Amino acid sequence: MTAGLLTRAGLALALCASLLAGCASTARLPELPPQPGAADVQALIRAEDALDARYQVVTDRPFLQVDLKLRHAMADYATLGDGPAKREFIRRFLREAGALNLTAVSAALTRVSDDAITRFAATHALALDGEPRAALGALVAHDDGALLAAEIARVEALAGTFELDRYWRELTGHVEASIMQRGRLARRLLTAPAVPLIEGWIAYHNWHDFRGALAPDFRKAVLLTPGSALSAPADLSRPDRALLARHAPLIVQELADGTTYPADFDRIGTVALTGPDIRHATPAVDSNAPALYAFVDHKPLQGRTVRQLVYVLWYPRHPKMKGFDPEAGPLDGWTIRVSLDANDTPVLVESVSNCGCYYKIFPSDTLERKAAAAWATPLKGKTWHLEQDVPGKFDAVVPETVSGLDAAAQNIVLYFSAGHHQLVTLRSRAQAGVLPTTSVAYTLRDYDELEQLPLNGHAASLFGMDGLVRGAHRDECSLLTPSGLYHAGHPRQRETQMIYFDEADFDDPQLLERYLRLPPRAFGDDA
């Protein structure tokens, strides 16, 4: 219990003692402010724009939150046969959702300003001595911990499979909609007259776009190489940290002469936030401090856990490349994801704009050979044995395979265009041949930094509560509203990126198994 809570408890006891002693005064006793609880702290977090779009609350059980991993795991319940297995699944789900709630609250409180904490304490007559955010976190842990324990006891008391199934339907029916799906129908209804036009444009876009290999014909370019090593985040193991550094890519960045925009727009950098408060915060990219932001993901694929290395880069701005350029706007960037096999060798590389556009897959030629051994011929109209025909959806763009991918350090070379900032292609170091002689070192940074940037003495996220980069609106966001897309073309946070006009979730654990004809044991023989 915090010192503030003890102080208030002592005041209450003193008032009771005064009454029992027969105090004859008729003066009205002072009223104590309402006792704050977990709901009050959650309201504070929301009011201060400190929520994280990756997490959704269970609306009738706000002591539970889910993320993408838990959301996808919910589907596993239907595969369970007997009551004991279902009960254990629900227990585990509740514990993980409860723990995630406390983790999310703790991180969110670091993004609440000191002034807001002070006002909250004054409103509730709390003397938050020491570390006030830790005290508020402890209050939430106490209240929500009791609610979680009661909820688990409720599950233990359920009689059998029928009641467990009913409970599970009720629970999952109250999981808040993801920002990736929220409000889609309303947007389409509000812009109904334009829906056919936009859907026709999307279909034309899919039919017209070139899906083959592109050559990086750069007349002028600079080479960015890994420099400073990644710091040591508490939640990143030493082997994962070493792999991020080992496979950190070389980047060949095209430089354009005679442009109407500043040269820095074509140089990646370190992200910061400036402004008097979070509602007026403006993102900026320092191109004089080149950086890649990285993290490690682990996905269940073909019955085994596959390690994926994710690298994210940011440009200061997407410049205006033509008279009317709806993609132009503040901040631009790209995400690269490298899936490793059991021997930590790259199997394939995925690339996507940070808004979710231009998703492509670059398999290793080793993986394509495995697919050719498993499937006699490519599917009709496809070039590669790996390519899949996805019913009713856009098929994945697989422009080429990459030869020479192995476990060697700095073996992946990325080629980015000037202005449009698109990944033209990627090569292994052996394929790349001669690289630009002008080189600059970049720093490998922890992606978590983007969600905890310094702002006026406290932390703040680059991303708003909707997962969008603050202050990075562009015309494309409004133009594609009739499609139902939420701010199309707007750079966004990890685990909120949708690909192919929101047909698929970039972080779906089953994405590769759905969009590729993966051969058996594509990622190794061990389970």
Side-chain angles (χ1 to χ4, degrees):
M1 183 177 291
T2 65
L5 296 180
L6 289 173
T7 300
R8 295 180 59 215
L11 178 58
L13 289 174
L15 289 170
C16 291
S18 177
L19 288 172
L20 291 174
C23 178
S25 174
T26 59
R28 185 175 180 180
L29 296 175
E31 293 184 4
L32 293 174
Q35 173 71 33
D40 298 295
V41 178
Q42 292 278 20
L44 168 67
I45 290 170
R46 183 178 293 275
E48 292 301 309
D49 195 13
L51 290 177
D52 190 319
R54 293 176 297 163
Y55 310 130
Q56 294 85 50
V57 71
V58 180
T59 55
D60 66 337
R61 298 166 177 85
F63 53 92
L64 303 175
Q65 292 196 51
V66 302
D67 58 4
L68 202 63
K69 177 183 175 183
L70 281 175
R71 187 178 288 274
H72 284 289
M74 283 161 45
D76 294 341
Y77 182 85
T79 67
L80 303 174
D82 59 0
K86 290 183 174 181
R87 194 185 306 275
E88 176 55 31
F89 182 91
I90 294 174
R91 276 197 299 255
R92 186 170 64 252
F93 181 89
L94 291 175
R95 292 191 186 102
E96 291 181 8
L100 180 63
N101 173 62
L102 297 183
T103 299
V105 167
S106 178
L109 283 170
T110 67
R111 297 189 290 269
V112 176
S113 70
D114 291 342
D115 288 345
I117 295 284
T118 300
R119 290 194 301 271
F120 183 85
T123 299
H124 296 282
L126 292 177
L128 296 175
D129 301 327
E131 175 45 61
R133 292 174 179 83
L136 292 179
L139 187 154
V140 173
H142 176 271
D143 287 5
D144 285 357
L147 292 171
L148 175 61
E151 191 71 12
I152 292 175
R154 177 186 172 191
V155 171
E156 299 291 359
L158 296 176
T161 302
F162 177 79
E163 290 193 9
L164 288 167
D165 289 347
R166 185 171 60 183
Y167 172 88
W168 181 249
R169 286 193 301 271
E170 178 195 2
L171 175 69
T172 56
H174 284 89
V175 174
E176 186 180 29
S178 164
I179 192 64
M180 294 182 285
Q181 302 296 335
R182 200 179 307 158
R184 181 183 298 272
L185 178 60
R187 288 189 291 275
R188 289 174 64 86
L189 291 174
L190 287 171
T191 57
V195 168
L197 177 65
I198 295 300
E199 289 188 341
W201 178 85
I202 290 174
Y204 171 79
H205 181 85
N206 180 52
W207 170 78
H208 178 265
D209 277 4
F210 181 67
R211 301 171 68 90
L214 297 171
D217 185 19
F218 298 165
R219 289 190 295 272
K220 183 180 179 182
V222 62
L223 177 67
L224 290 98
T225 62
S228 303
L230 187 75
S231 57
D235 60 348
L236 192 63
S237 69
R238 185 182 297 273
D240 281 353
R241 197 162 63 247
L243 283 169
L244 279 174
R246 183 173 188 81
H247 293 291
L250 303 174
I251 299 174
V252 178
Q253 175 63 57
E254 181 184 23
L255 302 177
D257 290 324
T259 62
T260 58
Y261 60 85
D264 279 354
F265 285 7
D266 287 333
R267 297 181 183 273
I268 64 171
T270 300
V271 180
L273 281 176
T274 61
D277 55 51
I278 192 60
R279 288 176 178 78
H280 300 91
T282 302
V285 174
D286 182 1
S287 295
N288 292 317
L292 254 66
Y293 293 84
F295 65 97
V296 178
D297 204 356
H298 299 85
K299 295 275 176 55
L301 284 166
Q302 295 188 317
R304 69 181 307 272
T305 299
V306 172
R307 184 184 278 110
Q308 295 180 323
L309 312 179
V310 186
Y311 303 92
V312 181
L313 54 85
W314 296 93
Y315 297 92
R317 190 176 183 87
H318 184 112
K320 187 177 181 180
M321 301 298 291
K322 51 190 175 184
F324 174 65
D325 189 352
E327 294 184 344
L331 263 69
D332 199 13
W334 217 264
T335 298
I336 302 295
R337 184 164 65 194
V338 183
S339 295
L340 305 179
D341 68 10
N343 298 313
D344 295 329
T345 298
V347 174
L348 58 84
V349 180
E350 300 161 90
S351 75
V352 69
S353 169
N354 287 347
C355 69
C357 300
Y358 308 112
Y359 174 71
K360 295 181 180 181
I361 305 174
F362 296 85
S364 66
D365 58 353
T366 302
L367 183 60
E368 170 62 16
R369 285 195 297 270
K370 284 186 177 182
W375 325 116
T377 60
L379 295 176
K380 183 179 179 181
K382 305 299 184 186
T383 302
W384 310 105
H385 293 78
L386 279 163
E387 289 186 272
Q388 182 63 281
D389 184 7
V390 186
K393 295 182 181 292
F394 298 136
D395 295 339
V397 177
V398 185
E400 58 187 311
T401 62
V402 185
S403 64
L405 286 183
D406 56 35
Q410 277 75 64
N411 191 36
I412 297 174
V413 186
L414 309 174
Y415 293 81
F416 283 96
S417 65
H420 292 288
H421 303 153
Q422 292 199 18
L423 179 70
V424 176
T425 189
L426 67 86
R427 300 277 189 265
S428 67
R429 181 62 187 87
Q431 273 185 305
V434 178
L435 295 174
T437 55
T438 302
S439 65
V440 177
Y442 68 77
T443 301
L444 196 61
R445 308 184 74 96
D446 182 8
Y447 187 98
D448 286 358
E449 293 181 24
L450 297 174
E451 295 155 349
Q452 301 287 119
L453 293 171
L455 178 69
N456 301 330
H458 63 93
S461 178
L462 172 65
F463 314 99
M465 295 194 294
D466 52 8
L468 303 177
V469 169
R470 300 179 188 278
H473 180 81
R474 48 258 283 143
D475 290 339
E476 187 178 9
C477 303
S478 302
L479 286 174
L480 293 182
T481 296
S483 67
L485 305 182
Y486 184 65
H487 281 254
H490 196 133
R492 58 196 67 213
Q493 188 177 12
R494 57 179 169 179
E495 297 185 17
T496 68
Q497 292 164 294
M498 300 288 284
I499 63 173
Y500 296 147
F501 300 100
D502 283 14
E503 282 193 348
D505 172 6
F506 178 65
D507 289 288
D508 182 350
Q510 297 178 325
L511 183 70
L512 292 175
E513 292 183 277
R514 184 176 297 121
Y515 278 86
L516 291 178
R517 281 204 305 172
L518 290 174
R521 297 180 294 280
F523 300 94
D525 295 331
D526 62 327

